């Protein structure tokens, strides 16, 4: 029996970007706000101070800041006729843990999504007709347009000090930026990072081929910067230990130093770490949340009553809590009805190796999580994807990210995979191999979804979340086409044919054991229709209006870019709706 605590006004589940943003915006209202974080407390000092900040074994092998799969995991299968098994190795599944969530150790590529990515269904049908959408594809529009979200993208970029070059300010094309981007009101707050030698080779080759390279917008700050909240960010020193690590310079934007200290200035805000929320509790009629139940570090079960519940527990955590708590109708793939668990999507990958001459050095140990050049010529609806035979696109890029000794072991295809031969191949390749990668959009299908596993349970006795996912024909075609573009660019750089990297051309079934990206989307999507979405345009549950759900779980399908730009913008958007509308008149906002 859980011990009942005195009631509070708001509980927030998760201390990552989404939880951090709403905490920072809600704490000054004077309401009693309690945030729960299942992981440990951590801060830049002492946790990310040198030299232990660069402990590769701790961060990239033992994944110190990633969810402990012995406590909680998900089960996975490719299709409904298979038995799903628990994920025991991280592979494609890397949910962050500890204070700051994944935001404390992400890479930092920070995008605005294209206008089309906010209206994929209507935008596609307007251009190509209804017939282009396969019968099993649950293609849906966002309920929020790019124009509505633009001020919130701008706010997130300013808070994080994003380094980049605008390509379109108020409709005026700006040389050096992305010519395909939607109009923005302002230039990025800080200039692009210094380009690496490999980036200059990529820029030259893609320009020769008629494409439009530009520097990736990064949350690795290119110079000292003070954000609008008065918080200083340091200058990135290209330390090469970025993705999966904390930043000792506070150059990598993270909620643990940009959001939570501001929330904590208010004595009405409290952060409880080592506290896992296991359920959102509902009133007897199921139409109102009464608070949450959580388990603390001592294993005690406690009930925290609250008037408003905000979930920011990453995609899988949010979907799990919604299903386990009985909020919203669970999705049924057989009838394509129900909403919670619907529209899961991942991201496609692949690319091409670049084997350079021995006098060209890549210096892979020097870089940052997001440092790189990108082209958007094959992304979204910037090109005729219908002519190419599928819906969607993706970004193509070259990054100088991390050459740390435990994770970066490049060898060319055909070289030995172990022993002395492998070591020699690795030493030969380390300074002279690079790669072009592509990140492909993945559409949503009725057969790709989440539900609760009938067999396996977590350490708290809850059924595990089950994921059913596989590549579909649309995505296989897209990945094959984009791999060919990567090969073309690699050949332009070296003057000779180069091998494809990562994913083979004949894409088989999705392999959950392989690291690809961390970009899971969907499961609790937002929309205009309660029959096809769990949330309204303010990320508020249609069924239980005092529950808001934030994060990439709200995206109806995935894009050819990383998710955190829109995740952050939507968290500010929802926080605005809560403070300006909901708190004045609690109830359904739509
Ligand atoms: C290694 C890595 C690199 C990445 N690089 C990029 C990038 O370059 N660009 C980009 O756009 N995105 C990137 N991402 C994704 C990005 O980090 C996420 O989109 C973003 O952090 C999501 O924020 P969130 O608040 O939704 O979730 P998270 O940051 O995951 O935060 C969720 C928090 O909730 C806590 N939590 C979960 N369940 C519970 C529970 N039941 N009770 C209490 N607490 C709970 C977790 O411990 C966690 O701290 C990367 C992710 C990883 C892991
Ligand atoms: S590469 Fe830059 S942003 Fe990343 S951890 Fe190192 S100093 Fe920080």
């Amino acid at each position: 029996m859980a011990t009942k605590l005195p009631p509070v006004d708001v509980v927030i589940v998760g201390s990552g970007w989404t939880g951090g943003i709403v905490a920072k915006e809600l704490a000054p209202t004077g309401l009693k706000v309690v945030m729960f974080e299942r992981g440990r407390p951590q801060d830049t000092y002492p946790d990310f101070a040198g030299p232990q900040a660069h402990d590769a074994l701790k961060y990239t092998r033992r994944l110190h800041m990633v969810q402990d799969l012995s406590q909680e995991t998900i089960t996975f299968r490719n299709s409904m006729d298979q038995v799903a098994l628990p994920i025991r190795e991280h592979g494609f599944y890397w949910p962050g843990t500890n204070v700051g969530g994944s935001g404390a150790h992400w890479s930092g590529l920070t995008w605005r999504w294209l206008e089309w990515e906010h209206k994929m269904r209507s935008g596609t049908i307007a251009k190509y007709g209804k017939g282009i959408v396969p019968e099993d594809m649950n293609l849906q529009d966002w309920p929020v347009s790019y124009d509505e979200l633009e001020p919130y993208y701008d706010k997130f970029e300013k808070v994080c000090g994003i380094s980049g070059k605008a390509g379109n300010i108020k409709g005026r094309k700006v040389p050096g930026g992305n010519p395909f981007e939607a109009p923005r009101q302002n230039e990025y707050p800080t200039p692009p990072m210094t380009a690496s030698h490999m980036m200059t080779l990529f820029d030259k080759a893609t320009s020769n081929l008629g494409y439009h390279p530009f520097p990736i917008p990064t949350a690795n700050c290119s110079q000292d910067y003070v954000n609008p909240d008065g918080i200083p960010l340091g200058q990135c020193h290209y330390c090469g230990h970025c993705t999966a690590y904390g930043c000792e310079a506070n150059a990598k934007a993270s909620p643990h130093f940009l959001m939570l200290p501001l929330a904590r200035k208010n004595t009405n805000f409290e952060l409880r770490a080592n506290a896992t929320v296991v359920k959102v509790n509902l009133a007897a009629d199921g139409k109102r949340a009464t608070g949450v139940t959580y388990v603390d570090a001592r294993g005690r079960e406690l009930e925290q009553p609250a008037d408003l519940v905000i979930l920011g527990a990453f995609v899988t955590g949010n979907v799990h809590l919604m299903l386990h708590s009985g909020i919203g109708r669970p999705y049924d793939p057989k009838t394509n009805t129900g909403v919670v668990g619907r529209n899961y999507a991942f991201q496609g990958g692949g690319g091409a190796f670049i084997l350079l001459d021995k006098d060209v050095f890549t210096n892979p140990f020097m870089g940052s999580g997001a440092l790189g050049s990108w082209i958007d010529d094959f992304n979204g609806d910037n090109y005729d994807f219908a002519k190419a035979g599928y819906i969607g696109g993706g970004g193509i890029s070259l990054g100088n990210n991390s050459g740390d000794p435990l994770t970066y072991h490049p060898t060319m295809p055909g070289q030995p995979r172990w022993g002395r031969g492998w070591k020699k191949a690795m030493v030969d390749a380390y300074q002279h191999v690079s790669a072009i990668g592509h990140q492909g959009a993945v559409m949503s299908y009725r057969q790709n979804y989440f539900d609760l596993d009938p067999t396996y349970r977590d350490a708290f006795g809850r059924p595990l979340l089950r994921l059913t996912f596989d590549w579909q024909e649309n995505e296989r075609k897209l990945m094959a086409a984009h791999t060919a573009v990567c090969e073309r660019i690699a050949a332009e750089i070296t003057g000779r044919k180069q091998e494809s990297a990562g994913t083979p051309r004949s894409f088989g079934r999705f392999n959950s054991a392989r690291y690809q990206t961390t970009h899971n989307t969907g499961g609790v999507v937002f929309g205009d229709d309660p029959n096809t979405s769990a949330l309204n345009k303010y990320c508020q549950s249609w069924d239980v209006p005092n529950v808001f759900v934030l994060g990439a779980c709200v995206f109806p399908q995935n894009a050819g870019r990383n998710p955190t730009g829109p995740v952050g913008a939507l968290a500010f958007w929802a926080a605005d709706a809560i403070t300006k509308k909901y708190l004045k008149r609690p109830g359904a906002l739509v």
Side-chain angles (χ1 to χ4, degrees), residues 173-400:
K173 300 273 171 176
V174 185
N178 177 10
F180 299 103
E181 77 176 352
R184 30 188 310 127
Q185 292 305 303
N186 296 302
E187 181 52 275
Y188 284 98
T190 55
M193 301 182 77
T194 305
S196 67
H197 178 54
M198 287 311 299
M199 286 164 65
T200 60
L201 297 183
F202 175 88
D203 292 352
K204 186 161 171 258
T206 47
S207 300
N208 288 347
L209 292 168
Y211 310 145
H212 303 85
F214 62 93
I216 290 173
T218 75
N220 316 138
C221 214
S222 62
Q223 61 184 33
D224 289 346
Y225 170 76
V226 178
N227 83 3
D229 294 317
I231 307 225
L233 287 91
Q235 181 179 15
C236 171
H237 45 264
Y238 305 80
C239 74
H241 290 68
C242 199
T243 304
Y245 298 87
C247 178
E248 61 196 314
N250 273 356
K252 179 159 66 174
S254 165
H256 82 267
F257 75 96
L258 293 175
M259 301 292 155
L260 299 177
L262 294 172
R264 277 174 148 160
K265 273 189 181 167
N266 303 276
T267 51
N268 51 302
F269 173 80
E270 185 193 343
L271 167 56
R272 293 182 201 156
N274 291 310
T276 304
V277 171
V278 290
K279 195 172 182 185
V280 179
N281 302 315
L282 298 183
D285 64 2
K287 294 191 173 145
R288 199 182 145 65
T290 56
V292 297
T293 298
Y294 71 101
V295 177
D296 73 3
R298 290 163 59 189
R300 292 178 304 183
E301 201 172 89
L302 300 152
E303 188 185 330
Q304 178 59 72
D307 292 330
L308 176 61
V309 175
I310 299 170
L311 302 184
F314 188 64
V315 174
T316 44
N318 288 344
V319 181
H320 196 202
L321 282 169
M322 293 288 279
L323 284 172
H324 184 58
S325 311
I327 304 173
R329 194 144 68 93
Y331 175 65
D332 178 354
K334 294 203 176 86
T335 55
N336 203 22
T337 58
V339 287
V340 182
R342 183 188 168 90
N343 280 29
Y344 172 81
F346 190 56
Q347 254 174 354
F353 285 111
I354 311 171
L355 181 58
L356 297 150
D357 293 333
K358 290 288 177 214
D359 59 347
V360 184
F361 291 83
T362 58
N363 291 342
F365 43 82
M366 194 191 68
S368 83
L371 180 66
S373 284
W374 184 282
I375 58 166
D376 242 358
D377 299 70
F378 301 93
N379 203 0
D381 67 341
N382 298 337
Y383 70 126
D384 190 347
F385 53 65
K387 200 164 156 202
Y390 47 80
I391 297 177
I396 291 176
S397 64
L398 182 146
N400 246 77

Side-chain angles (χ1 to χ4, degrees), residues 12-20 36-39 65-67 72 94-111 243-244 255 272 275-279 294 312-315 317-318 321 369-370 462 515 518-519 550-552 561-567:
I12 300 172
V13 186
S15 66
W17 273 122
T18 57
F36 293 99
E37 168 53 50
R38 70 176 165 197
M65 289 192 267
V66 180
Q67 177 177 324
E72 286 173 76
W94 278 49
T97 196
N98 300 345
V99 167
S102 310
H105 61 99
W106 65 321
S107 306
L109 291 86
T110 310
W111 299 104
T243 304
R272 293 182 201 156
T276 304
V277 171
V278 290
K279 195 172 182 185
Y294 71 101
F314 188 64
V315 174
N318 288 344
L321 282 169
R462 301 177 297 176
Y515 178 77
T518 54
H519 306 146
L550 304 174
R561 296 182 182 289
N562 313 56
T564 308
V567 163

Side-chain angles (χ1 to χ4, degrees), residues 33 43 72 147 243 268 272 338 357 361 386 402 421 434 525 546 554:
V33 181
D43 212 336
E72 286 173 76
D147 288 344
T243 304
N268 51 302
R272 293 182 201 156
D357 293 333
F361 291 83
S402 172
S434 185
V525 310
N546 65 334
V554 311

